[in-house]
């Protein structure tokens, strides 16, 4: 069997859904299990409605719900019942003025809960034998609302009972991505962009032959095509390279996606639902060497650098432990670190706990914070052992101020920090330099 995941743009309206249903229909002999995202933009709209309701701007929240209802009802009339429930929920939230992570998950879950019903309905209308599986019955997670962690074994056991018999009898199973539930049945989500992760967890649980991520670009590109229009498709990329790119801003793939698939050696393809005849990008365990070395460049905005300076650090040990313990206590991930003899700089992309972190860092030294920065990340296997890469990279961006650098920790990534305002220029300059020529073995120009 195979797992086919369709992202928001691949199910944004009736035409997109029909196109995606057609792609599934052509692969029925491979026994597909379909994972769908919410209709394009629906998750953002739902969360905005929730935020407005909790902020006691109920009219605006209801207006968003009404507009979403129109989109959904046009595709499946019965979804109006769900919208009646959603409006009740929004009213209750505005009465208590609360929007906890748990409630956010419940509100956001409407997106995938409904898109998966719509997709199933459409497949049936087109004459296919399809069954809907409520993801909240199959995807078992812990209780970390907003970013729940799946329990793979329990999820696998549930899928064996709920999905396998249908797949074996030739039916197409359709479920929502991104959403799940705790053991006691409370709705959770896997974090934004989490439908890719659902696809990987399900693929690993069902021992899929292949996981296909259908999206709105030809595959993993040499840069985000929205920033660098001349970006080219990468035919094949390793799990390690893809994970770095995903983590550092290549939104095309959720960072965690690759892990369950790596463990089981399941090939993952990124494919374009608007051009289904394309060969996409294959994500493999080991990368083939390439003359270019660099496979792709990613950027991540909204980065904050925290610097702690203290003369007590001079020749002392235990300082870094004390420093990292502060971030650990506040469950805040650090992406990049640079140290000098008397100071440490680290980057964060989640600043929710920053005020508390700053307070707790004060006893360690002088703390300074700089925000509105961007991380630029150049990725390619064996980059660490290839002379000239750093020279070329920094040469390309010689007119741009670089605030922090990380190189050498991994064999595949060179990253640095610039002002957010410089990020797109840096991307274009780097891309123009590193991809002056495309090795046809590795890259495929846009058609
Ligand atoms: P989906 O809704 O299908 O999950 P996403 O919006 O999450 O799609 O991801 C696809 C988008 O990722 C593309 O439209 C593209 O702009 C962006 N992107 C960023 N970096 C890359 C990259 N290196 N290759 C391809 N797409 C990228
Ligand atoms: N719909 C969710 C989001 O927008 C999950 C996903 O699309 O992957 O984040
Ligand atoms: Mg996505």
């Amino acid at each position: 069997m195979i797992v086919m995941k369709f992202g928001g743009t691949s199910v944004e309206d009736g035409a997109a859904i029909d196109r995606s249903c057609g792609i599934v229909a052509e692969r029925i002999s491979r026994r597909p299990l379909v994972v769908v995202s919410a209709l394009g933009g629906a998750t953002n709209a739902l969360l905005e409605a929730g935020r407005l309701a909790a902020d006691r701007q109920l009219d605006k929240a209801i207006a968003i719900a009404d507009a979403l209802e129109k989109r959904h009802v046009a595709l499946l009339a019965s979804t109006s019942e769900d919208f009646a429930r959603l409006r009740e929920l929004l009213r209750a939230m505005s009465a208590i003025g609360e929007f906890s992570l748990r409630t956010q998950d419940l509100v956001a879950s409407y997106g995938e809960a409904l898109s998966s019903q719509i997709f199933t309905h459409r497949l049936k209308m087109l004459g296919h034998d399809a069954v809907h599986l409520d993801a909240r019955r199959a995807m078992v997670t812990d209780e970390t609302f907003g970013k729940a962690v799946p329990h793979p074994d329990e999820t696998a056991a549930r899928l064996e009972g709920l999905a396998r018999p249908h797949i074996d009898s030739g039916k197409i199973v359709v479920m929502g991505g991104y959403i799940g539930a705790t053991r006691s049945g409370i709705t959770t989500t896997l974090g934004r962009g989490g439908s890719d992760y659902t696809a990987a967890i399900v693929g690993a649980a069902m021992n899929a032959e292949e996981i296909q991520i259908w999206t709105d670009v030809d595959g993993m590109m040499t840069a985000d095509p929205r920033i660098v229009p001349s970006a080219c498709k990468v035919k094949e990329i390793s799990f390690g390279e893809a994970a770095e790119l995903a983590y550092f801003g290549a939104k095309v793939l959720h960072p965690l996606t690759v892990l369950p698939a790596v463990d089981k050696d399941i090939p993952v393809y990124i494919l374009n639902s608007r051009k289904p005849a394309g060969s996409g990008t294959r994500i493999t365990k080991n990368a083939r060497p390439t003359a270019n070395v660099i496979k792709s460049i990613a950027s991540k905005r909204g980065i904050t650098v925290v610097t702690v300076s203290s003369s007590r650090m001079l020749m002392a040990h235990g300082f870094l432990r004390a420093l990292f313990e502060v971030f650990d206590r506040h469950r805040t991930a650090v992406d990049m670190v640079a140290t000098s003899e008397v100071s440490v700089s680290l980057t964060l992309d989640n600043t929710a706990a920053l005020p508390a972190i700053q307070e707790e860092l004060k006893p360690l030294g002088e703390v300074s914070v700089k925000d509105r920065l961007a991380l630029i990340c150049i990725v390619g296997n064996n980059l660490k052992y290839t002379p000239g890469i750093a020279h070329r990279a920094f040469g390309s961006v010689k007119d741009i101020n670089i605030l922090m650098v990380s190189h050498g920790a991994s064999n595949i990534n060179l990253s640095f920090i610039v002002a957010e305002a410089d990020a797109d220029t840096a991307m274009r300059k780097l891309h123009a330099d590193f991809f002056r020529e495309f090795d046809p073995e590795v890259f495929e120009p846009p058609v």
Side-chain angles (χ1 to χ4, degrees):
M1 58 88 57
I2 60 171
V3 172
M4 303 177 72
K5 177 257 170 177
F6 292 89
T9 43
S10 302
V11 293
E12 65 189 348
D13 54 24
I17 291 173
D18 279 5
R19 208 163 44 226
S20 297
C21 285
I23 294 172
V24 174
E26 276 169 22
R27 288 158 183 81
I28 283 182
S29 64
R30 300 191 69 189
R31 290 181 293 146
L33 184 154
V34 176
V35 173
V36 286
S37 287
L39 307 196
T43 310
N44 284 344
L46 285 162
L47 290 171
E48 178 63 5
R51 196 187 58 73
L52 287 165
D55 194 36
R56 302 209 157 84
Q57 303 186 55
L58 187 59
D59 291 352
K60 286 188 189 162
I62 297 287
I64 293 179
D66 290 348
L68 270 178
E69 177 174 12
K70 257 197 193 142
R71 275 180 78 191
H72 284 77
V73 167
L75 300 164
L76 180 61
S78 62
T79 55
S80 66
E81 291 158 30
D82 298 272
F83 281 95
R85 275 205 300 278
L86 174 65
R87 273 188 290 265
E88 253 170 58
L89 177 61
L90 292 172
R91 279 189 202 102
M93 285 163 58
S94 100
I96 48 177
E98 180 260 7
F99 199 30
S100 64
L101 285 173
R102 178 171 163 170
T103 313
Q104 284 181 34
D105 281 358
L106 180 59
V107 169
S109 72
Y110 277 79
E112 273 74 4
L114 300 182
S115 66
S116 55
Q117 288 177 38
I118 292 171
F119 203 94
T120 314
H121 168 75
R122 206 50 214 159
L123 278 171
K124 284 186 184 160
M125 296 299 286
L126 294 167
H128 302 294
D129 207 355
V131 278
H132 179 252
L133 168 58
D134 186 336
R136 290 162 295 191
R137 293 178 63 207
M139 178 61 69
V140 188
T141 75
D142 71 0
E143 296 184 358
T144 320
F145 296 104
K147 216 175 185 137
V149 180
H151 292 303
D153 294 342
E154 282 163 68
T155 302
R158 300 260 186 118
L159 286 166
E160 278 310 311
L162 297 168
R164 181 80 70 190
H166 292 303
I167 298 279
D168 286 348
S169 67
K171 293 192 176 120
I172 304 168
V173 175
V174 182
M175 66 186 276
Y178 175 59
I179 60 177
T182 63
R183 286 180 184 127
S184 51
I186 302 163
T187 300
T188 53
T189 70
L190 308 184
R192 295 306 306 271
S195 295
D196 298 340
Y197 195 22
T198 303
I201 297 279
V202 171
M206 302 277 291
N207 285 310
E209 287 154 37
E210 193 173 300
I211 298 167
Q212 302 177 349
I213 308 287
W214 291 89
T215 183
D216 63 347
V217 280
D218 289 349
M220 182 64 89
M221 313 288 282
T222 49
D224 185 340
R226 279 185 281 209
I227 302 171
V228 184
S230 60
C232 207
K233 188 187 91 180
V234 187
K235 289 191 207 167
E236 217 183 83
I237 196 160
S238 71
F239 281 117
E241 291 169 323
E244 295 279 346
L245 285 167
Y247 191 74
F248 290 115
K251 191 183 159 225
V252 67
L253 201 72
H254 188 283
L256 290 171
T257 312
V258 284
L259 284 180
V262 178
D263 285 345
K264 289 214 162 169
D265 220 351
I266 300 170
V268 179
Y269 284 88
I270 301 173
L271 297 146
N272 191 343
S273 66
R274 294 200 181 115
K275 294 189 231 160
S279 54
T281 296
R282 185 188 165 135
I283 302 175
T284 56
K285 197 156 198 173
N286 300 306
R288 249 195 292 163
T290 134
N292 268 65
V293 183
I294 303 307
K295 291 273 178 61
S296 184
I297 305 168
S299 62
K300 188 170 172 182
R301 304 170 82 92
I303 300 286
T304 298
V305 171
V306 178
T307 302
V308 183
S309 309
S310 166
S311 50
R312 267 185 296 137
M313 227 182 116
L314 208 62
M315 294 192 291
H317 62 85
F319 183 87
L320 285 176
R321 182 175 54 86
L323 185 94
F324 281 114
E325 271 171 4
V326 174
F327 291 90
D328 190 40
R329 271 198 297 281
H330 292 282
R331 295 169 146 261
T332 297
V334 169
D335 286 338
M336 197 197 271
V337 184
T339 63
S340 81
E341 196 48 49
V342 290
S343 49
V344 183
S345 287
L346 10 91
T347 70
L348 316 174
D349 66 352
N350 172 5
T351 51
L354 189 56
I357 290 174
Q358 258 176 289
E359 250 345 275
E360 286 184 38
L361 286 176
K362 272 185 190 160
L364 292 176
E366 202 178 300
V367 184
S368 69
V369 173
K370 196 163 167 44
D371 61 3
R372 301 180 69 92
L373 304 175
L375 188 153
I376 310 279
C377 172
I378 301 173
V379 170
N381 219 28
N382 220 28
L383 149 168
K384 180 171 163 180
Y385 296 104
T386 311
I389 297 283
H391 172 79
R392 202 164 167 189
F394 294 126
S396 312
V397 293
K398 62 178 183 298
D399 301 326
I400 293 173
N401 190 38
I402 292 171
L403 288 130
M404 205 171 141
V405 178
S406 167
H407 179 49
S410 98
N411 187 11
I412 57 179
N413 123 31
L414 161 64
S415 321
F416 54 88
I417 302 287
V418 299
E420 228 175 45
D422 289 332
D424 289 359
T425 313
M427 288 286 284
R428 290 188 198 109
K429 287 189 175 212
L430 286 162
H431 194 272
D433 251 359
F434 277 105
F435 297 102
R436 224 171 282 156
E437 288 157 24
F438 290 107
D439 173 356
E441 286 282 302
V442 186
F443 304 102
E444 193 179 293
V447 276

